[in-house]
């Protein structure tokens, strides 16, 4: 009999904490627990295995930003954590509304512990019961693993191997590729028919590749990675009905990973290029050594020395956009690789050497159709000479997205940014944030535009935007007026006032470049760019490919 969250909250060791469910209360009665764990670390999610009740004090959350708290909740939910219990007190008098809303949206039960309780006592008392249950689950999971191995030895298809797992866990089981395509699937009903029909009968309806099981009411979806030779190749999805043991499903699913990997190698021979491509993107993102990038690029079919660019797409539907992006890259590039990391879709595209810049512009133009969907923002990094420099292109694309996140207008734009951004349009900003610290940037902007900024602040005007647009339009007054949707006479009046505040018409002086730079930096003056994205200095992770260190 599985142990559920509601039972644990009523346990004598935990009930004295006066627990109250603040979010996703409707799921508490059916939420099953695999383990109870405590941690004050906000980056704990990758270290958890799913199914845990996580106990934590309020000190770390009290000093964290709202954004970090929400990220904490989302990471736990994505990891499959069963519930989160937070102890409130002097440091954290109550649970922040942002956490409650995020937990409700993610379906993660969020519990407030209103009195202090020793977490060690809670874990010792309840985990002892969970241990005895886990022994039984391990035994049944081993039985499932053995039965799947027998099916594999008899030449069974992936559908039939999954049918064994579905029959033991009573869950709908699907094996999907990294692009989200269903490779095989099975339901408990298939498993029962398979046992009756014998080992060599073809699996019936519900196991056809491409038909993802329909979600059941209150079912829990468990994701398990399936690597092949150390490289992530597929995902195993178990859709567990509320009345079934999801801990058994999770344990049995993890025990089946090696068998499924072997079956994929024998039966389907999954594309090595796809697997190597995903590993290549991860290696580029982590800044691996050039020899490793060259090794993976060769396996992924990407020329080592050909020009290439990196692409970063941020969207809530990044997995769904992956197929569209790959179709576009197949047309616009010689070779490519993609990888989805939560809300980020990362890619590298190898371009023809004889017209690489022209191909890059075509790739940019084609991405506009892809990024037209709501909530999508993409950036194309600078062109580099080969795979060894791909980390720099990727880091510059990510930095561009951070710079473009400003609510104010960007280079050459009279309004919000387009959904696809060229990193080269932010070359000035990228160089400056890597060469100057925030104080130096603010000081430079103040020296050049102090009177204009004060005027805008006092009059609630937008002369800075007018000046930036005029400069971006090459000092063409008529063009700038059209960009700002104002009459030409009004534009001339604004410019006269701007020139008065800036010490005269800059076109007749050597100040034009300085003013243009200052307007571009004004939106960055108060922004904090994540340090991990500010590369290019001697102390940073990456260097520009053409830079050389000197003693």
């Amino acid at each position: 009999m599985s142990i559920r969250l509601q039972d644990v909250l009523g346990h004598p060791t935990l009930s004295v904490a006066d627990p109250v469910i603040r979010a996703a209360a409707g799921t508490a009665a059916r939420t099953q627990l695999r383990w109870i764990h405590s941690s004050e670390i906000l980056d704990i999610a990758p270290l958890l295995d799913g199914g845990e009740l996580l106990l934590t004090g309020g000190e770390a959350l009290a000093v964290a930003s709202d954004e970090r708290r929400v990220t904490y909740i989302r990471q736990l939910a994505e990891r499959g954590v069963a519930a989160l219990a937070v102890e409130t007190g002097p440091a954290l008098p109550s649970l922040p509304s942002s956490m409650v809303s995020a937990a409700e949206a993610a379906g993660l039960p969020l519990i407030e512990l209103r009195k202090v309780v020793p977490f060690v006592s809670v874990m010792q008392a309840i985990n002892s019961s969970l241990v005895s249950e886990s022994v039984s689950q391990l035994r049944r999971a081993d039985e499932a693993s053995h039965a799947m191995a027998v099916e594999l030895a008899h030449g069974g298809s992936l559908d039939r191997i999954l049918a064994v797992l579905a029959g033991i866990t009573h869950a709908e089981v699907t094996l999907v590729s990294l692009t989200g395509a269903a490779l095989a699937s099975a339901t408990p009903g298939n498993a029962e028919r398979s046992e009756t029909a014998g080992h060599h009968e073809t699996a019936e309806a519900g196991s056809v590749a491409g038909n993802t099981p329909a979600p059941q009411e209150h079912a829990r979806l468990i994701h398990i990675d399936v690597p092949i030779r150390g490289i992530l190749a597929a995902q195993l999805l178990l859709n567990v009905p509320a009345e079934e043991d999801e801990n058994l499903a999770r344990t049995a699913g993890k025990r089946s990973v090696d068998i499924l990997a072997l079956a994929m190698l024998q039966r389907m021979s999954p594309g090595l290029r796809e697997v190597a491509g995903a590993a290549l993107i991860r290696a580029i993102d982590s800044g691996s050594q050039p020899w490793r990038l060259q090794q993976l690029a060769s396996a992924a079919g990407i020329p080592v020395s050909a020009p290439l660019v990196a692409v970063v797409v941020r969207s809530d539907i990044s997995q769904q956009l992956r197929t569209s992006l790959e179709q576009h890259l197949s047309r616009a590039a010689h070779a490519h690789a993609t990888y989805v990391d939560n809300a980020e879709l990362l890619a590298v595209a190898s371009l023809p050497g004889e017209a690489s810049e022209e191909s890059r512009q075509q790739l940019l133009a084609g991405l506009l159709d892809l990024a037209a969907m709501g909530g999508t923002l993409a950036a194309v990094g600078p062109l580099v000479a080969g795979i060894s420099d791909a980390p720099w292109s990727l880091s510059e694309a990510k930095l561009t997205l951070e710079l473009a996140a400003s609510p104010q207008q960007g280079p050459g734009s009279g309004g919000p940014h387009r959904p696809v951004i060229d990193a080269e349009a932010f070359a000035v900003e990228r160089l400056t944030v890597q060469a100057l610290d925030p104080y130096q940037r603010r000081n430079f902007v103040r020296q050049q535009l102090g009177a204009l900024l004060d005027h805008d602040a006092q009059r609630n005007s937008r002369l800075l935007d007018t000046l930036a647009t005029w400069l971006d339009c090459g000092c063409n007054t008529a063009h700038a007026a059209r960009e700002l949707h104002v009459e030409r006479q009004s534009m001339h009046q604004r410019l006269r006032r701007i020139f008065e505040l800036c010490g005269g018409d800059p076109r007749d002086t050597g100040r034009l470049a300085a003013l243009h730079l200052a307007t571009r930096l004004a939106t960055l003056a108060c922004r904090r760019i994540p340090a991990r994205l500010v590369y290019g200095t001697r102390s940073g992770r990456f260097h520009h490919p053409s830079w050389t260190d000197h003693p």
Side-chain angles (χ1 to χ4, degrees):
M1 181 65 181
S2 60
I3 297 178
R4 299 184 181 259
L5 175 61
Q6 196 171 50
D7 301 326
V8 169
L9 295 181
H11 192 278
T13 60
L14 193 56
S15 62
V16 296
D18 196 11
V20 176
I21 303 176
R22 298 300 188 190
T27 66
R30 59 181 181 273
T31 297
Q32 301 175 19
L33 299 184
R34 185 186 61 81
W35 197 248
I36 297 184
H37 185 72
S38 70
S39 176
E40 305 303 317
I41 301 173
L42 297 185
D43 293 321
I44 190 65
L47 304 179
L48 300 177
D49 210 26
E52 297 94 348
L53 166 60
L54 180 63
L55 308 176
T56 185
E59 289 82 0
L61 289 169
V63 298
S65 65
D66 260 353
E67 181 182 4
R68 184 65 188 92
R69 293 165 180 164
V70 170
T71 300
Y72 175 63
I73 292 292
R74 290 176 179 169
Q75 288 175 340
L76 294 179
E78 290 169 359
R79 195 63 178 175
V81 170
L84 171 66
V86 182
E87 188 177 84
T88 54
L92 189 72
S94 63
L95 295 182
S97 58
S98 59
M99 290 183 63
V100 175
S101 299
E104 190 69 43
L108 175 70
L110 179 60
I111 301 144
E112 179 183 359
L113 304 179
R114 296 180 291 183
K115 295 181 180 178
V116 177
V117 64
F119 288 169
V120 172
S121 300
V122 174
M123 291 187 292
Q124 286 177 341
I126 302 176
N127 281 341
S128 59
S129 300
L130 291 170
V131 165
S132 60
E133 182 191 358
S134 66
V135 171
S136 174
Q137 291 166 351
L138 285 171
R139 178 182 56 79
R140 296 181 64 190
D142 286 339
E143 292 173 358
S145 178
H146 176 73
M148 293 172 72
V150 171
E151 189 65 55
L152 174 63
H154 282 82
S157 66
L158 272 172
D159 288 331
R160 293 191 58 80
I161 294 172
L162 291 183
V164 175
L165 182 61
I168 292 178
T169 61
H170 299 143
E172 295 179 346
V173 184
T174 309
L175 187 67
V176 299
S177 70
L178 295 181
T179 60
L183 304 175
S185 61
T187 67
N190 293 145
E192 293 170 4
R193 288 194 293 274
S194 297
E195 291 174 2
T196 304
H199 284 295
H200 300 289
E201 183 178 327
T202 304
E204 300 292 337
S207 63
V208 179
N211 293 338
T212 303
Q216 302 176 13
E217 185 179 6
H218 304 315
R220 181 73 175 256
L221 187 62
I222 298 174
H223 297 72
I224 298 175
D225 291 341
V226 181
I228 295 179
R229 295 171 181 166
I231 300 175
L232 182 63
Q235 262 200 340
L236 180 64
L237 310 181
L238 296 98
N239 202 29
V240 187
E243 66 276 8
E244 299 298 339
D245 190 342
E246 67 181 61
N247 291 329
L248 170 63
R250 181 180 287 105
T251 303
K254 290 185 175 180
R255 288 297 177 104
S256 70
V257 163
D258 290 340
I259 295 171
L260 290 174
L262 181 59
M264 290 175 67
L265 283 172
Q266 291 182 354
R267 305 288 189 269
M268 301 185 61
S269 185
L272 178 59
R273 287 193 175 190
E274 178 182 323
V275 175
L280 172 63
I281 299 293
R282 294 198 301 271
I284 291 172
D285 195 27
S286 63
S288 294
Q289 294 295 320
W291 67 265
R292 177 59 173 164
L293 300 182
Q294 294 168 8
Q295 181 185 60
L296 290 171
S298 298
I302 295 178
V304 171
S305 301
L308 61 82
V309 295
V311 180
V312 180
V313 181
R314 289 180 181 168
S315 172
D316 292 334
I317 55 171
S318 55
Q319 185 66 61
Q320 295 91 315
L321 288 175
R322 185 176 188 175
T323 300
S324 299
L325 176 63
E326 289 188 333
Q327 291 173 349
H328 171 57
L329 294 180
S330 297
R331 297 187 296 268
H334 278 178
H336 68 274
T338 64
Y339 179 68
V340 173
D341 183 10
N342 294 324
E344 273 192 346
L345 171 54
L346 310 178
V348 290
S350 175
L351 302 177
E354 62 276 7
S356 53
E357 188 55 49
E358 180 182 346
S359 298
R360 182 178 180 277
Q361 292 304 317
Q362 293 174 354
L363 186 151
L364 267 164
L367 281 175
L368 283 170
D369 292 335
L370 170 70
M373 303 180 186
T376 298
L377 190 63
V380 177
L383 189 69
V384 293
I387 196 65
S388 297
D389 298 326
W392 180 76
S393 183
L394 182 65
S395 69
E396 295 298 293
K398 288 190 173 187
L399 177 57
T400 297
L401 287 181
E402 294 295 327
L403 297 173
S406 169
Q408 302 186 37
Q409 65 188 46
S413 170
H417 292 297
R418 291 164 38 156
V420 179
I421 306 166
D422 185 352
E424 296 296 9
F426 281 79
V428 169
E429 288 83 356
R430 290 189 288 112
L431 174 63
T432 306
V433 298
Q434 296 173 101
L436 303 177
D437 61 40
Y439 172 78
Q440 291 172 313
R441 297 199 301 267
R442 286 194 296 268
N443 190 42
F444 179 79
V445 170
R446 189 70 199 171
Q447 288 174 346
Q448 301 298 323
L449 300 171
L452 182 63
L453 295 174
D454 291 341
H455 181 278
D456 275 355
Q458 294 166 6
R459 305 291 182 86
N460 196 26
S461 59
R462 300 188 62 181
L463 293 182
L464 175 62
D465 292 347
T466 300
L467 175 60
T469 303
W470 180 69
L471 290 168
D472 286 339
C473 291
C475 302
N476 187 315
T477 304
H479 185 190
R482 288 193 299 271
E483 289 290 319
L484 294 171
H485 306 290
V486 299
E487 296 292 336
R488 187 179 301 185
Q489 186 61 33
S490 298
M491 186 69 191
H492 281 292
Q493 292 175 357
R494 292 188 189 184
L495 287 176
R496 280 197 296 271
R497 184 59 180 144
I498 290 171
F499 295 162
E500 291 173 3
L501 295 168
C502 294
D505 189 336
R507 288 173 292 189
D508 299 327
T509 70
R511 296 186 58 236
L512 191 63
L515 279 178
H516 199 176
L517 177 59
T519 61
R520 297 280 288 265
L521 298 185
T523 58
L524 303 179
C526 299
R527 285 182 58 76
R528 295 183 63 186
I529 309 301
R532 69 184 187 280
L533 297 177
V534 183
Y535 305 126
T537 63
R538 293 177 187 269
S539 59
R541 177 191 286 173
F542 302 130
H543 295 262
H544 185 286
S546 64
W547 290 358
T548 303
D549 281 332
H550 297 285

